[in-house]
Amino acid sequence: MSGKLIVFEGVEGGGKTTQLQRCSNWLRAGGLQDCLSTVCSGNQTRPLVVTREPGGTLLGAKVRQLLLDRDSSPIHPRAELLLYAADRAEHVEELIKPQLVNGAIILCDRYTDSTIAYQGYGRGIDLKLIEELNQIATGGLESDLTLWLDIDVEIGLERARQRGTVDRMEQADLAFHRRVQQGFQELYQQNPHRIVRVDASYSEEEVHNSIQKILRERFKSWFQERSILS
Ligand code: T5A
């Protein structure tokens, strides 16, 4: 597949949605062409797709509502796990894989690491089972790059609260969110080839600049190889 899947991950309020939007604006406003022109000859363009989990498809939008509605009745952790997996299976087959085949750069708000961190570390469901389920839901499709926006849990939750809306997951207690953070930390240590840590405690502008730098380097290594081979 010639496209690339770039995922934004982290605890609540780390700024994923904000940074994903800024990144998309930058790439659409010429940043993508700018990066590609340094490594490929000719007029290089690629589709840019912005999506999220849960909720990247029509089915996913309904699943998202079930999962995150703050007034919904309690959901059993295994049912919650399966709903996230169903959202992902549909997302990968309906949107992500076809767009990767199409050569797109996909910016995705959360993916498989969220399930390991939230349902595994947070809810305490067996990690091996979650890995198997992720495998089933994705058909083995990993991200090409995951940007882990690392923020202190309490600062992140405070930012999310100040925004004025708190969803069902954000209502969980602090100990839960700390376990989720521990999950992201361990995933980062176990997957240095795939996960890059971004210090999300800085201003929006500074975090965006760090992400731009990482992406410029990645585009260079990804597409330079391709231009040599083609
Ligand atoms: N989930 C998801 C699972 O449990 N398992 C799974 O498998 C998956 C895929 C998704 C929920 O589902 C869970 C995780 C989540 O609980 P969501 O709405 O996508 O729900 O929730 P979040 O991803 O947590 O989204 P949030 O909007 O809460 O957090 P973000 O996207 O990290 O933060 P953002 O950008 O909205 O910013 C929050 C506030 O902070 C400000 C923003 O302006 C905003 O007000 N802000 C900053 N303030 C100061 N400095 C900065 N650098 C700032 N950056 C942003």
Side-chain angles (χ1 to χ4, degrees):
M1 282 186 265
S2 67
K4 295 292 171 194
L5 175 59
I6 301 167
V7 175
F8 291 65
E9 287 280 14
V11 295
E12 315 291 321
K16 293 173 304 302
T17 312
T18 306
Q19 291 302 331
L20 197 145
Q21 202 50 56
R22 289 188 75 132
C23 206
S24 151
N25 293 345
W26 163 59
L27 292 171
R28 281 190 211 284
L32 182 55
Q33 203 161 359
D34 193 29
C35 290
L36 295 179
S37 67
T38 63
V39 289
C40 309
S41 55
N43 184 19
Q44 297 286 336
T45 53
R46 279 170 180 271
L48 181 70
V49 175
V50 173
T51 186
R52 66 177 176 180
E53 289 194 357
T57 60
L58 282 176
L59 174 75
K62 292 180 183 165
V63 174
R64 182 181 175 91
Q65 207 175 356
L66 290 173
L67 280 164
L68 297 185
D69 186 350
R70 54 183 288 182
D71 299 322
S72 67
S73 48
I75 301 175
H76 189 279
R78 281 204 307 279
E80 180 184 88
L81 170 68
L82 292 169
L83 284 169
Y84 280 113
D87 167 76
R88 179 161 305 128
E90 182 75 2
H91 193 207
V92 167
E93 288 307 322
E94 289 301 311
L95 186 113
I96 296 180
K97 277 190 187 165
Q99 287 294 346
L100 288 176
V101 169
N102 197 26
I105 303 297
I106 303 179
L107 305 180
C108 184
D109 200 337
R110 298 192 181 279
Y111 192 54
T112 49
D113 292 334
S114 277
T115 318
I116 296 172
Y118 281 80
Q119 280 65 52
Y121 286 79
R123 300 282 191 228
I125 299 178
D126 181 61
L127 292 176
K128 196 156 178 342
L129 175 75
I130 293 179
E131 275 165 25
E132 282 169 16
L133 199 53
N134 272 342
Q135 180 74 22
I136 292 169
T138 63
L141 181 76
E142 283 194 341
S143 70
D144 293 286
L145 170 67
T146 294
L147 297 163
W148 170 40
L149 271 65
D150 183 16
I151 186 85
D152 176 86
V153 170
E154 286 181 72
I155 295 175
L157 284 171
E158 187 50 35
R159 281 186 189 170
R161 276 188 207 107
Q162 277 182 5
R163 190 187 41 202
T165 49
V166 178
D167 65 35
R168 192 182 64 86
M169 300 297 284
E170 285 163 350
Q171 287 171 334
D173 62 27
L174 189 58
F176 170 82
H177 291 289
R178 286 199 196 289
R179 291 195 298 277
V180 172
Q181 176 74 322
Q182 172 73 14
F184 282 119
Q185 175 74 43
E186 291 189 17
L187 280 163
Y188 166 64
Q189 282 158 353
Q190 291 157 9
N191 299 278
H193 62 291
R194 182 173 62 79
I195 304 179
V196 175
R197 176 181 174 274
V198 176
D199 187 341
S201 63
Y202 291 106
S203 71
E204 280 185 34
E205 187 66 28
E206 287 167 311
V207 177
H208 176 64
N209 289 341
S210 307
I211 292 175
Q212 261 200 33
K213 187 163 175 280
I214 295 164
L215 289 185
R216 281 183 195 283
E217 282 165 10
R218 284 296 165 126
F219 284 134
K220 203 168 166 185
S221 70
W222 288 334
F223 297 117
Q224 205 155 35
E225 271 171 36
R226 286 180 55 77
S227 65
I228 288 165
L229 291 174
S230 59

